[in-house]
Amino acid sequence: MKPVEIRDLFEMDFYGGLQARGKNIVFVKGHANQKNNDYTYDLMLCRKGEIHQITDRKNVRSFVFEDKNTIWFVGQENGQSQLYRMYLKGGEALCKATIDRLGVSILGFVDDDCIALSYIQKQVDDHELASDYEVLDESPWYANSQGFINGDRLVLATYSLKTNTLQEIENPQLRIRGAMVQDHDIFYWGYSDSGKKEKLHADEIYVFNTELQKTSCLAKTDLSILDLQAAEDGLYIFAENGLPIGLNSNPSLYYLDFKYQSIDMKMDWQENLGNCVLSDCQLVGGNSVCMYEDSLYFTTTIVDHNNLFCWDENRLLQVLEWNGTIESFVFSKGALYFIGAKPDQLQQLYQYKNGEINQISDFNPFLKERYIAQTKPVFYTGALNTQQCGWVLYPKDFDENKTYPAILDIHGGPKMTYGRVFFHEMQVWASQGYFVFFCNPFGSDGQGNEYADIRGHYGKEDYQDLMAFTDAVLAQVKQIDANRLGVTGGSYGGFMTNWIITHTQRFKAAASQRSISNWISMWGTSDIGPDFVRDQMQAGLEDIETLWKHSPLKYVDQAQTPTLFIHSDQDYRTPIEQGYQMLNALIDRGVEAKMIVFHGENHELSRSGKPIHRMRRLEEITKWMNDHLKEKQS
């Protein structure tokens, strides 16, 4: 078998964004383009079990069905958005309209000749033509992957195909956060824009009726809305109020009754919404909620995999337990179709009907020739005295009579989770002769609110869990050389890598990615800093001592581990200054350290950064581990 290689990134296709009408199922394919160092996106059609690509424009992600045989999609060219109409039974896509806006998304049809759209409108003021400075007077003023957003607003509009006119929906006092279309109604939600700071748990719900050309307020809440779906007599709302565990609280299900204008909780869910199983092979994404035949369907993450549930007539029913991920799903002709990944595999298109799951696609066939390390479970007792499960990938050409180096990989979040699906970077390391081990320490998602509530505990029980898991792996897998352990992680995983190297010397190499080192400066520089830090640390600038106590930088005098830092200069989630501080501190005390700065990248470097940068990042980490963990050949 061939090894999994770093450049296999250019061989992979990624899928998501399912929609269906009649017998036609349309979805998005993403691909890393080596020539242009970017990603291409085009539409795929599945009909009667046969799959083929139907667009070749390289930039198509937003589309909608007009009827069962016709779709509309958006293309972006020359600073404008074009609306194309395509007949699925044959023929070329025809450009029907050009809109002088970038980043237009189609929400849906409100009647036969009118489409609802959304896009970001930039603030217009005296400096609109200047590109050499920014005016900052609200918080947050920038957002990861979006850049500077001061004054930017999400705008909803309708576009008449008869008159070729764009009409924006006016609600100047509302900062819109999301919207959906049902018949002639555009439902949307957001918070009052009267101040200069984003408001939490204060979403208001509005409806714009396109026949009456009228906007009405349906409710003002004390909730942060995650998703909204229209039923016959009201709205299903997934939202959280922050009471259970602060910003990371799992949502509950509410219902807004149109007749009584009241919002009632239908289900105190206690679990998350959608797929939170991490992978570096989830480029496209998709939906986690949909309505079908007057019932509400949604996905959730249970420990390390996704399940599909149905809320029907005040009853919760489990529709499907799936041992991998469900990244997008839809119903068509009485069958469930979903894009997801089985353990140790990439995404495929599946059909679930009459209790049977059938794989329809054969995406990424090149992997059949690669060595794919299988996830093997390792159980350990966590810091909360619960039994937890992590996994180990065995190296290619494993020989039980030899010893090997190993890498502990720590996920971000912290309220995310690792599962068993294919992870490119881990498979690369396994192919290069490493054991790779990973788990879901205290603070991870998929195990309810209590397990995810790490507020005020960063570096305590989570650190204990990771060390207990490492002990369990070493006890079970005798072929791991305990003197050749590496550790890496990004975001929260970067924080924990920094914490580990300042609290133990058991790891001989570390790669700290998009990390946190100092909660005090993180408060004022991150796009989520003030709210996230205050919530997760249970302290703000009024309590510098607590913030410093949880900062790895405080303990840097104990660090001895050679450490590589990976940061991006447009990462506004964990700003580059966090890496600079840690790098300088290690160099100052004579610890081997190096930092790689990626220009023009953000917090998503490892998942959706420019392909060449993603490869370089993985090459640098792999070389660092090789230099410090592999035995030198004489």
Side-chain angles (χ1 to χ4, degrees), residues 391-441:
W391 299 271
V392 178
L393 303 180
Y394 277 57
K396 185 178 183 294
D397 302 323
F398 169 69
D399 183 341
E400 65 179 11
N401 296 313
K402 295 182 178 180
T403 60
Y404 299 82
I407 299 173
L408 169 63
D409 201 330
I410 307 170
H411 69 62
K415 193 175 180 285
M416 298 297 289
T417 187
Y418 272 152
R420 298 172 56 198
V421 298
F422 183 95
F423 215 111
H424 182 217
E425 67 179 35
M426 295 188 194
Q427 292 293 339
V428 166
W429 296 330
S431 277
Q432 292 215 8
Y434 289 93
F435 282 96
V436 185
F437 58 109
F438 50 99
C439 69
N440 293 313

Side-chain angles (χ1 to χ4, degrees), residues 310-327:
C310 172
W311 180 261
D312 179 51
E313 297 181 351
N314 294 319
R315 295 180 303 162
L316 180 66
L317 306 172
Q318 181 170 290
V319 177
L320 174 65
E321 182 167 9
W322 176 245
N323 62 356
T325 59
I326 301 173
E327 291 160 39

Side-chain angles (χ1 to χ4, degrees), residues 310-355:
C310 172
W311 180 261
D312 179 51
E313 297 181 351
N314 294 319
R315 295 180 303 162
L316 180 66
L317 306 172
Q318 181 170 290
V319 177
L320 174 65
E321 182 167 9
W322 176 245
N323 62 356
T325 59
I326 301 173
E327 291 160 39
S328 187
F329 71 98
V330 71
F331 290 90
S332 176
K333 294 293 183 178
L336 167 69
Y337 292 85
F338 65 93
I339 289 175
K342 288 182 177 180
D344 311 312
Q345 295 184 19
L346 283 174
Q347 302 151 326
Q348 301 288 350
L349 176 63
Y350 296 92
Q351 180 199 63
Y352 178 62
K353 188 175 183 180
N354 299 325

Side-chain angles (χ1 to χ4, degrees), residues 487-489 497-498 501 509-513 561-567 583 586 592-596 616-625 628:
V487 59
T488 188
T497 300
N498 290 344
I501 67 171
S512 175
Q513 307 169 60
T561 307
T563 303
L564 171 70
F565 296 93
I566 303 283
H567 270 270
L583 175 71
L586 291 185
E592 184 183 359
K594 182 170 74 171
M595 185 168 177
I596 309 296
R616 180 64 185 272
R617 164 197 163 271
L618 191 46
E619 288 168 354
E620 291 287 351
I621 297 172
T622 304
K623 184 179 185 302
W624 188 263
M625 295 298 177
H628 293 87

